Amino acid sequence: MSIPGLDTWLKTPQGLYVTSWERPRIEGIVSDVFGYNALQLGLPQFDLLGDNRIPLRQKVGESGAVDVRCDLRQLPFAAASVDLVVLPHVLEFNDDPHQILREVERVLIPEGQLVIAGFNPLSLWGLRRRLPGHPEGFPWNGDYLSVPRIKDWVKLLGFEIDRGVFGCYAPPCTDAAWLRRYHFMEAAGDRWWGFAGGVYLLRAVKRVHGMRLIMPKWNPRRVPRKALSAVARKGIERSEQ
């Protein structure tokens, strides 16, 4: 997926602020995931799978320095063939995020892992894009998705969220000096308003529950045997005649 303005924004103080928080945390999450195949969908400017030990790691996207060029809504991978998928700021900048998640669910193996990075609408960053005269272009032109909304979507696809973290609590200043002045908000945000970070990371696991055979409920009571009844002597004598 080609996002206009992304390359330029990544070099700005805002972009450096966000990526300097996200990259080490994503790398830490994926470092202990094992398997054979891993995919990074989007943001090919960074190698977010570099610390992972899966042998085949590929960047996938519609443009840029990717290993596989394709539409993220139609991934050219077999079902249940991928162990790990990383989605860095893909869902909020695509017209069909549901289909992307459906494709991710299709290609992941049972117990495969999904890592999602997104901008938080319930934050100072989300508020900034709603104010009059907000800046144009990336990242303000995206459709920010809240964490509860993402949780609902992935739950319907059979995923279970097992880890989540918020970060980047400073206001979206354009000046690096002001971002440094607001650095104290990182520790304060984690302690007092953890849900209001500018960005979030979620890790989900694809659960596939086994089939359970439901047997009929049999009556455990045994039917008593019929007692033997004595044959009348008179009836025996009549039969002998």
Side-chain angles (χ1 to χ4, degrees):
M1 179 179 55
S2 177
I3 304 177
L6 173 59
D7 289 326
T8 301
W9 180 81
L10 290 174
K11 300 174 184 177
T12 66
Q14 284 182 0
L16 295 173
Y17 169 57
V18 171
T19 56
S20 64
W21 182 88
E22 285 184 346
R23 289 181 63 187
R25 285 161 180 81
I26 293 177
E27 292 166 357
I29 291 175
V30 304
S31 62
D32 61 349
V33 181
F34 299 93
Y36 298 97
N37 298 286
L39 302 178
Q40 174 183 328
L41 308 187
L43 204 63
Q45 294 86 349
F46 301 107
D47 184 9
L48 301 177
L49 298 172
D51 288 346
N52 183 265
R53 286 172 281 183
I54 291 177
L56 183 57
R57 304 183 299 270
Q58 301 180 89
K59 296 179 184 179
V60 182
E62 294 182 357
S63 62
V66 297
D67 303 301
V68 179
R69 184 163 297 183
C70 68
D71 187 338
L72 299 185
R73 297 168 297 181
Q74 298 177 341
L75 298 176
F77 303 99
S81 63
V82 178
D83 302 274
L84 169 66
V85 174
V86 178
L87 281 175
H89 299 288
V90 169
L91 300 179
E92 65 260 56
F93 294 98
N94 192 282
D95 294 334
D96 197 355
H98 300 86
Q99 178 58 27
I100 293 178
L101 286 175
R102 282 191 289 266
E103 277 293 278
V104 169
E105 188 277 334
R106 181 185 66 82
V107 302
L108 275 175
I109 66 169
E111 302 301 315
Q113 298 192 24
L114 167 63
V115 178
I116 300 174
F119 287 102
N120 181 16
L122 305 177
S123 67
L124 293 175
W125 291 66
L127 177 63
R128 181 68 182 91
R129 63 186 292 271
R130 293 180 179 274
L131 294 176
H134 66 81
E136 300 292 336
F138 189 91
W140 315 109
N141 56 350
D143 183 14
Y144 292 5
L145 305 171
S146 67
V147 168
R149 191 175 180 186
I150 293 292
K151 286 184 176 180
D152 288 342
W153 287 0
V154 299
K155 184 179 180 180
L156 290 174
L157 293 172
F159 287 93
E160 178 182 316
I161 300 290
D162 76 337
R163 184 182 301 183
V165 62
F166 289 87
C168 299
Y169 294 92
C173 303
T174 57
D175 186 85
W178 278 104
L179 287 172
R180 288 193 296 268
R181 290 191 182 99
Y182 283 112
H183 183 71
F184 72 93
M185 296 183 67
E186 300 300 325
D190 282 336
R191 183 174 182 180
W192 300 109
W193 54 87
F195 65 91
V199 296
Y200 57 79
L201 297 178
L202 297 174
R203 184 172 78 171
V205 181
K206 178 182 175 180
R207 303 297 190 192
V208 178
H209 300 285
M211 181 178 65
R212 180 182 177 185
L213 184 62
I214 301 177
M215 300 295 294
K217 186 176 181 181
W218 302 105
N219 190 346
R221 293 181 302 172
R222 299 182 63 183
V223 179
R225 295 181 179 179
K226 292 183 178 181
L228 296 176
S229 59
V231 180
R233 180 64 183 172
K234 185 176 180 180
I236 296 177
E237 292 176 352
R238 183 179 300 174
S239 61
E240 290 177 349
Q241 294 176 359

